[in-house]
Amino acid sequence: MRKKVSIIGAGNVGATAALWIASKELANVVLIDVVEGVPQGKGLDLLEAMPIEKRDVHVVGSNDYAATANSDIVIITAGIPRKPGMSRDDLLNTNFKIMSDVVKKVVAQSPEAIIIVISNPLDAMAQTAFRQAGFNRERVIGMAGVLDSARFRSFIAEELNVSVENVTAFVLGGHGDTMVPLARYSTVAGIPLPELIPADRLEAIIQRTRDGGAEIVKHLKTGSAFFAPSAAAVEMVEAILKDKKKILPCAAYLTGEYGIDGYYIGVPCKLGAAGIEQIIEIKLTAEEDAALKKSAEAVKELCAVIGV
Ligand SMILES: NC(=O)c1ccc[n+]([C@@H]2O[C@H](COP(=O)([O-])OP(=O)(O)OC[C@H]3O[C@@H](n4cnc5c(N)ncnc54)[C@H](O)[C@@H]3O)[C@@H](O)[C@H]2O)c1
């Protein structure tokens, strides 16, 4: 039986995630949106691309959650994106209402699914989905770290003129201005970054990574990034569907790991068929630990506003 992935929100991120999933032949895809016609039209259009791409997957769009029944994975992108001058946190109240409503409908149709949250502000929206779904923490995962580290990796590969495949990067913390890229755990062909890039250049690259989303919003003006975010979510989907046991930075609900209890924050997670199968704890320096705690405080403040 082919696997089934439903995507809630058939906008830029959702539709592009559908494209990556179909083009990798990972699963049948259901696109859902509140706007009538949009998921149907995009779903049909993508289905019609499959003979050209030689991929046997079914793609369908609907406004009715019945189409999502018994999904293996549900990706939630529903919500509003940023416009220039807005922070991710400015989306909080609107997206909280949307997330609460969407998760209720998702869970009613797919009580065994694994939920991947993309809507911003990411960590607070993952926490909202976790509370609303009532699933164990293994099955509600936030996507941010794969994207943030992909941005970091792109900039490092450009800086050193090396293959992106040689660059591994390690990013902890919340998705936002408080994210914590860990240079000493980031390597090029196994060589730690601080040995290859002077400290001031490295700091500039780290800052560009933190501002990576805003840089794109500034260019686009009418919305936010979607190619890399959707690719990042689909890397998580692939790790789960293929039970790869792949270690990826994800937003996970912590219960004491890294000294944080009761909040979503980005940490290295092992993803496999059960969702988050392990949270990897590494020893942080005092400075890194303080940066992570600061990031967690920012998430905590947002969660307090919406009461999750
Ligand atoms: N986690 C990350 O790293 C990351 C990266 C990029 C974007 N995002 C976030 O993802 C979200 C989507 O971004 P986008 O660029 O695709 O936006 P978009 O506006 O292109 O798409 C959002 C879609 O959600 C739909 N929607 C709104 N309310 C809904 C509801 N109640 N039920 C179902 N669908 C609903 C809209 O009709 C729209 O089609 C935003 O919140 C954005 O900030 C997160």
Side-chain angles (χ1 to χ4, degrees):
M1 271 276 280
R2 225 176 274 153
K3 299 286 187 180
K4 177 171 177 178
V5 177
S6 292
I7 302 173
I8 319 300
N12 279 337
V13 177
T16 317
L19 173 59
W20 294 116
I21 292 171
S23 67
K24 290 170 189 260
E25 211 172 39
L26 291 178
N28 289 339
V29 181
V30 178
L31 273 173
I32 296 282
D33 204 283
V34 275
V35 181
E36 279 185 27
V38 165
Q40 290 87 344
K42 290 187 181 178
L44 182 59
D45 190 14
L46 186 52
L47 179 78
E48 290 166 358
M50 293 302 101
I52 303 167
E53 287 297 299
K54 305 176 189 68
R55 293 292 181 261
D56 286 303
V57 296
H58 193 258
V59 187
V60 69
S62 179
N63 305 114
D64 183 352
Y65 281 76
T68 68
N70 301 318
S71 297
D72 295 284
I73 298 179
V74 179
I75 303 176
I76 304 180
T77 77
I80 53 165
R82 284 195 281 174
K83 301 228 161 52
M86 283 174 96
S87 79
R88 293 180 180 90
D89 298 355
D90 292 335
L91 310 172
L92 184 66
N93 290 311
T94 306
N95 285 354
F96 168 65
K97 289 198 198 89
I98 294 172
M99 183 60 66
S100 304
D101 178 53
V102 162
V103 171
K104 214 180 297 167
K105 293 172 178 161
V106 162
V107 170
Q109 297 293 339
S110 303
E112 305 301 326
I114 292 171
I115 296 176
I116 298 178
V117 175
I118 302 191
S119 314
N120 273 319
L122 188 273
D123 304 275
M125 288 304 106
Q127 184 119 346
T128 302
F130 173 65
R131 300 277 189 230
Q132 182 72 49
F135 288 0
N136 60 30
R137 69 168 180 175
E138 287 78 2
R139 293 199 287 131
V140 183
I141 316 167
M143 186 294 291
V146 177
L147 169 64
D148 293 331
S149 59
R151 286 180 172 148
F152 195 33
R153 288 167 65 196
S154 314
F155 301 149
I156 292 162
E158 277 206 331
E159 176 79 10
L160 297 173
N161 191 25
V162 297
S163 164
V164 289
E165 289 184 60
N166 281 146
V167 188
T168 58
F170 202 103
V171 178
L172 283 176
H175 184 47
D177 307 334
T178 58
M179 74 179 78
V180 187
L182 292 192
R184 70 193 174 94
Y185 282 121
S186 304
T187 66
V188 176
I191 307 161
L193 275 191
E195 295 191 21
L196 296 168
I197 301 178
D200 57 333
R201 272 304 301 156
L202 192 51
E203 194 41 52
I205 291 171
I206 287 174
Q207 193 53 44
R208 190 175 175 201
T209 302
R210 282 202 190 95
D211 297 337
E215 185 176 356
I216 289 171
V217 171
K218 211 169 137 202
H219 285 303
L220 292 179
K221 298 185 184 70
T222 55
S224 56
F226 54 96
F227 287 121
S230 54
V234 173
E235 184 174 25
M236 294 164 67
V237 166
E238 186 169 19
I240 294 167
L241 291 182
K242 295 186 176 170
D243 192 24
K244 284 177 81 81
K245 318 285 187 201
K246 192 170 192 177
I247 296 172
L248 292 170
C250 304
Y253 186 77
L254 299 189
T255 54
E257 296 88 354
Y258 292 96
I260 296 164
D261 193 7
Y263 290 96
Y264 269 80
I265 200 89
V267 290
C269 298
K270 189 197 280 180
L271 293 192
I276 295 179
E277 298 188 350
Q278 193 188 343
I279 289 172
I280 317 287
E281 270 191 279
I282 53 158
K283 214 172 151 41
L284 300 179
T285 64
E287 198 183 335
E288 290 160 354
D289 184 60
L292 185 64
K293 296 275 160 52
K294 189 172 158 222
S295 192
E297 280 306 312
V299 175
K300 210 167 161 177
E301 277 174 31
L302 290 185
C303 288
V305 174
I306 51 176
V308 294

